[in-house]
Amino acid sequence: QVQLVESGGGLVQPGGSLRLSCAASGFTSDYSYIGWFRQAPGKEREGLSCISIRSGDGSTYYADSVKGRFTISRDNAKNTVYLQMNSLTPEDTAVYYCATAPSPSVMLLPSEYDYWGQGTQVTVSS
């Protein structure tokens, strides 16, 4: 059974940084990508970034809205994917989720992802 557990959310001031973690377990070789998404109240779930977890392939993808501010990375030894978030603004306030997909045809489309974590709240406020 695939399980994803997010952590690292919290309250941060504008301009601050947070690093989110996504601990994964129960994977099979069918699943090749882990992505980060967020959903703010009243808004649709938004794809932010994803990374290949295949051995020897570190391909990454970013949404324009976070390119240059967010960085995705992985630690295969720990089965963990990270999302480093810098220069945060109140518009980044949302619940952040990680999810996994076999081989998404559209890299950051939520419907391409099968298994989801429970989410972690990020609040950017002074």
Side-chain angles (χ1 to χ4, degrees):
Q1 179 75 15
V2 175
Q3 286 192 320
L4 301 167
V5 180
E6 303 96 336
S7 61
L11 174 64
V12 62
Q13 292 187 339
S17 299
L18 279 177
R19 189 178 78 159
L20 305 181
S21 300
C22 174
S25 62
F27 271 66
T28 70
S29 58
D30 295 333
Y31 287 87
S32 300
Y33 285 85
I34 289 181
W36 282 100
F37 301 79
R38 68 185 178 190
Q39 189 164 19
K43 294 189 176 181
E44 293 187 355
R45 192 162 296 189
E46 175 189 13
L48 304 175
S49 181
C50 67
I51 188 169
S52 170
I53 56 173
R54 291 178 292 206
S55 178
D57 178 9
S59 301
T60 59
Y61 301 84
Y62 293 94
D64 288 343
S65 60
V66 302
K67 200 173 293 183
R69 295 192 303 130
F70 292 8
T71 302
I72 194 170
S73 63
R74 70 186 194 187
D75 184 335
N76 284 352
K78 296 182 178 179
N79 293 327
T80 300
V81 171
Y82 303 99
L83 187 68
Q84 177 68 42
M85 307 187 296
N86 299 328
S87 302
L88 289 164
T89 74
E91 288 67 39
D92 295 312
T93 295
V95 178
Y96 284 67
Y97 300 89
C98 63
T100 187
S103 184
S105 56
V106 181
M107 304 308 293
L108 297 178
L109 186 64
S111 61
E112 296 276 345
Y113 288 74
D114 295 335
Y115 291 95
W116 293 77
Q118 82 289 349
T120 185
Q121 176 71 46
V122 172
T123 303
V124 185
S125 175
S126 56

